Amino acid sequence: MREKEQRLVKKAIKGNRQAFEKLIKEHYEQIYRTAFLYVHNEADALDAVQEATYQAIISIHTLKKPEYFLTWFTKIVIRCSSKIIKKRTNVVQMSEEVQNQLQQQLIQYDDSIHILDAVRQLKENYRMTIILFYYHDYSIKMISEFMGIPEGTVKTNLSRGKAMLKKYLQEEESYG
């Protein structure tokens, strides 16, 4: 973590709302993508980010190590995203047409929409490992601590997740 960012985190922990706002703005795109990969639509991703930001504001004082701000915030985003998924059980899913329109909008932000689609189809543990490793640039050790699993399991999840992604993308290529 950069020194400037660490100073912002320390200020935010002490209650400086402007420092907290700068941190959120700096990491917004990455956090939004994380939420989107979990909830699969723009509205729910925005809700997850909003709820996570609120929870982070009220609990930032509990953050012990400023260098782990993004890890801490990512956990909150994932927890909020999971809650949204659980609430959906009684909700009618979006039509395929609306989902396609949302995917077209995402292409503007990320040329790798096929990869994102493939990542969304992975099992939860593989998806989380892939997201943390490739989208957040976390080390194997950090992912291990974050997920509470041994480093060997993280490596296995990465290997199996990549194999499943490769298979999915090859199938997609042969159909497309």
Side-chain angles (χ1 to χ4, degrees):
M1 176 182 276
R2 298 182 334 264
E3 193 175 316
K4 180 183 175 187
E5 187 173 331
Q6 221 169 358
R7 281 196 306 267
L8 280 175
V9 173
K10 287 177 182 177
K11 285 181 181 180
I13 289 171
K14 292 179 182 176
N16 185 321
R17 297 290 170 131
Q18 289 176 329
F20 184 83
E21 188 177 325
K22 284 181 184 177
L23 288 166
I24 298 303
K25 285 180 180 177
E26 192 170 313
H27 297 291
Y28 181 81
E29 188 174 322
Q30 185 177 8
I31 293 303
Y32 172 79
R33 282 186 184 165
T34 300
F36 187 87
L37 286 168
Y38 274 85
V39 297
H40 310 303
N41 72 66
E42 184 178 7
D44 285 345
L46 291 171
D47 287 346
V49 171
Q50 183 178 7
E51 178 62 24
T53 302
Y54 171 73
Q55 288 184 16
I57 287 173
I58 62 174
S59 63
I60 185 84
H61 65 279
T62 65
L63 180 61
K64 303 280 187 251
K65 295 183 179 181
E67 63 270 19
Y68 290 117
F69 169 78
L70 190 55
T71 304
W72 172 79
F73 191 52
T74 301
K75 279 184 180 182
I76 295 172
V77 170
I78 291 171
R79 190 171 52 243
C80 290
S81 298
S82 295
K83 286 180 183 176
I84 287 172
I85 291 169
K86 287 177 186 172
K87 287 180 183 177
R88 272 196 214 153
T89 55
N90 295 329
V91 176
V92 176
Q93 292 294 318
M94 272 191 271
S95 71
E96 203 164 310
E97 180 182 333
V98 173
Q99 287 180 4
N100 289 337
Q101 288 174 350
L102 288 174
Q103 285 182 340
Q104 291 302 315
Q105 290 174 354
L106 275 177
I107 290 172
Q108 298 171 11
Y109 300 107
D110 195 341
D111 292 334
S112 59
I113 193 70
H114 295 294
I115 294 171
L116 291 174
D117 194 39
V119 168
R120 282 187 266 159
Q121 294 187 29
L122 293 175
K123 290 181 181 177
E124 173 75 18
N125 55 335
Y126 299 158
R127 182 174 60 226
M128 185 182 294
T129 306
I130 295 283
I131 290 169
L132 294 174
F133 189 78
Y134 290 104
Y135 285 89
H136 292 285
D137 293 325
Y138 285 7
S139 67
I140 301 286
K141 183 177 181 177
M142 285 180 70
I143 295 170
S144 169
E145 291 171 7
F146 182 85
M147 293 178 70
I149 58 176
E151 289 181 30
T153 305
V154 172
K155 291 176 185 176
T156 300
N157 287 351
L158 279 173
S159 176
R160 290 180 181 167
K162 286 191 295 188
M164 291 174 85
L165 283 173
K166 183 177 179 181
K167 180 180 175 189
Y168 174 81
L169 292 171
Q170 285 173 341
E171 287 174 2
E172 182 97 356
E173 192 174 290
S174 67
Y175 291 127

